Amino acid sequence: QVQLVESGGGLVQSGGSLRLSCAASGRTFSAYGMGWFRQAPGKEREFVAAISRSGGSTYYRDSVKGRFTISKDNTKNTVYLQMNSLKPEDTAVYYCAAQLLTITTNGADFGSWGQGTQVTVSS
């Protein structure tokens, strides 16, 4: 399995931007599809975005389409989530996750998870 470490969270005003990074260990990062999920207090974890192994295919939940962009750099073993036009409802702990050889939007299909990074959007 791959080890994942997120960074880049913080406090931002509504309408602002943040870029989350997720660094992966190991030499087979290119074999993994990657996803971002989030969990707000008192709510279920939800899918945010996913990207295929090569980065050629991306998927987003409807509420972040046009505002968030997921990208993957296989030379740096890192996946990013650029978040623009942030809203208070985006406040959550954000987790990155890895899925070997394929990509889905179902969290149960991901075998490796990071520890999470807090994103707080003030109104």
Side-chain angles (χ1 to χ4, degrees):
Q1 291 189 346
V2 64
Q3 305 298 315
L4 304 172
V5 179
E6 302 98 333
S7 61
L11 173 64
V12 64
Q13 290 187 333
S14 181
S17 297
L18 282 174
R19 188 176 81 154
L20 305 184
S21 299
C22 175
S25 65
R27 294 176 291 178
T28 59
F29 183 67
S30 60
Y32 288 85
M34 300 296 295
W36 285 97
F37 294 78
R38 67 188 181 188
Q39 187 167 21
K43 294 188 176 181
E44 296 289 320
R45 182 182 65 194
E46 63 183 21
F47 165 77
V48 177
I51 190 165
S52 61
R53 289 181 290 162
S54 67
S57 298
T58 56
Y59 310 87
Y60 299 93
R61 69 179 298 106
D62 287 345
S63 63
V64 308
K65 285 180 181 177
R67 300 189 298 123
F68 290 12
T69 303
I70 188 171
S71 60
K72 187 174 188 271
D73 188 337
N74 286 332
T75 66
K76 295 182 178 180
N77 283 14
T78 302
V79 63
Y80 305 96
L81 185 68
Q82 177 67 44
M83 306 186 294
N84 298 328
S85 302
L86 283 160
K87 304 175 181 180
E89 51 264 42
D90 294 318
T91 295
V93 177
Y94 283 71
Y95 300 90
C96 74
Q99 188 175 98
L100 184 60
L101 297 180
T102 187
I103 189 65
T104 69
T105 61
N106 184 350
D109 296 332
F110 287 76
S112 299
W113 292 81
Q115 83 290 349
T117 185
Q118 176 71 47
V119 171
T120 303
V121 184
S122 63
S123 57

